[in-house]
Amino acid sequence: MNSARDFVELLTLEPLGADVYRGTCHSGSPMRAFGGQVAAQSLIAAGHTVGEERVAHSLHGYFIRGGRTDQPIEYHVDRTRDGGSFTTRRVTAEQDGKAIFSLSASFQVPEAGTDHQPTMPQVPRPEELTADKHKWTAWFDDEPPVPALVLDLRFVGDSTVGLPDVGNGPRQRFWVRVRDDLPDESLLHTCALTYISDVNLVRTVNLTRGTSSTPRQVASLDHAVWLHRPFRADEWLLFTQEVPNASGGRGLARGQIYSEDGVLVASVMQEALLRDTPPSA
């Protein structure tokens, strides 16, 4: 798997009729479907029911059960509302008739308004950094996972220990892009960024434990993305990640995604479960 067509296939769904779609997912951790792909496929399903003149500006998802990689996932779309300028959709991803993920997404007709954003952090350019195959050795011992094959990743610093804490918890920064050119389809690039938005967040949260070892139980609990400005997912994007809070066996990660010319294109939040001991009965 090393071409743009392969990446597009990761997001391709089979229509089953009546706003129901079917797809398959690769692993994010052993035998568990990668949450970023489930979220991206959910957004693809929602987008198929929305006119091309409206673009996704936010999505909020909850991971309900671990998805399996050895059977397909069905995506059921609820056409919640079609307003004058906003469209809302809900998507439920199911396996064996049980919900594994739920998504709420909002689409908007583009319009002008106030424009403000933070300054992108100063970091080395991607061409100055070494490509990182991102083997995720804590969870994959034999070969790089699929995201490392379809994405080009360039970490600032050592990805196993993160960047120095400046008061907001563990931090990571890396450049990322889909390895090859993608078709000029806005929804596809939006869903590609949704896929990217789940990369490395749990690993960054794991740094709150002061070790790169694998916790007994790992799970993403919820995930949110706000899409601010146009972008291309096959061009370099800087993904900054930090973990301002960890408590109760959970860690909260937040991220910002910038284009190479410093434009803030998206913001991300995710809460993850990192448990060393099983829950009490």
Side-chain angles (χ1 to χ4, degrees):
M1 177 171 289
N2 57 10
S3 71
R5 185 178 67 179
D6 291 325
F7 185 84
V8 172
E9 289 175 354
L10 294 179
L11 304 183
T12 299
L13 300 179
E14 174 190 0
L16 300 180
D19 293 344
V20 179
Y21 302 84
R22 181 166 57 201
T24 57
C25 286
H26 64 71
S27 295
S29 57
M31 290 305 297
R32 289 294 184 95
F34 176 50
Q37 189 181 13
V38 176
Q41 288 188 348
S42 297
L43 188 60
I44 282 281
H48 284 333
T49 70
V50 178
E52 293 183 0
E53 75 283 358
R54 302 187 180 213
V55 296
H57 70 89
S58 69
L59 59 98
H60 300 256
Y62 279 91
F63 297 97
I64 301 168
R65 294 179 177 87
R68 296 179 58 85
T69 60
D70 58 356
Q71 59 183 344
I73 300 172
E74 287 191 1
Y75 297 90
H76 298 257
V77 182
D78 174 27
R79 301 191 183 216
T80 308
R81 181 176 185 268
D82 291 296
S85 55
F86 287 89
T87 292
T88 306
R89 294 290 184 263
R90 287 186 177 181
V91 182
T92 303
E94 298 182 357
Q95 279 185 327
D96 294 327
K98 296 180 179 179
I100 65 168
F101 179 76
S102 66
L103 177 82
S104 293
S106 182
F107 300 77
Q108 181 188 14
V109 177
E111 59 184 81
T114 302
D115 199 310
H116 166 74
Q117 68 158 78
T119 302
M120 184 178 77
Q122 293 186 351
V123 298
R125 310 310 299 178
E127 59 272 12
E128 300 173 20
L129 300 170
T130 302
D132 191 332
K133 291 298 184 182
H134 202 61
K135 294 182 179 179
W136 295 350
T137 52
W139 297 325
F140 293 86
D141 296 325
D142 51 353
E143 62 182 15
V146 173
L149 300 177
V150 297
L151 302 177
D152 193 350
L153 296 161
R154 308 285 176 94
F155 276 85
V156 178
D158 187 342
S159 64
T160 63
V161 298
L163 298 171
D165 186 348
V166 294
N168 293 322
R171 298 186 302 137
Q172 297 264 29
R173 290 174 180 170
F174 59 92
W175 292 99
V176 58
R177 64 179 176 184
V178 175
R179 287 190 177 275
D180 294 298
D181 294 342
L182 295 176
D184 294 330
E185 299 175 15
S186 175
L187 179 61
L188 177 62
H189 285 266
T190 298
C191 292
L193 185 140
T194 301
Y195 179 99
I196 289 169
S197 72
D198 192 36
V199 170
N200 205 62
L201 285 171
V202 171
R203 283 169 54 90
T204 303
V205 171
N206 192 40
L207 294 177
T208 62
R209 304 166 64 250
T211 174
S212 59
S213 64
T214 308
R216 183 184 182 95
Q217 184 178 5
V218 180
S220 298
L221 299 175
D222 60 1
H223 190 77
V225 181
W226 293 266
L227 300 143
H228 307 309
R229 297 172 180 87
F231 61 90
R232 291 190 64 92
D234 53 6
E235 296 178 351
W236 285 116
L237 299 168
L238 178 67
F239 198 169
T240 70
Q241 301 178 347
E242 62 184 18
V243 184
N245 185 76
S247 59
R250 306 181 314 276
L252 181 68
R254 64 188 178 196
Q256 292 180 312
I257 301 178
Y258 296 86
S259 63
E260 193 172 6
D261 58 358
V263 175
L264 180 66
V265 302
S267 298
V268 181
M269 296 286 285
Q270 183 181 103
E271 190 171 47
L273 176 70
L274 297 174
R275 180 180 281 153
D276 288 314
T277 58
S280 58

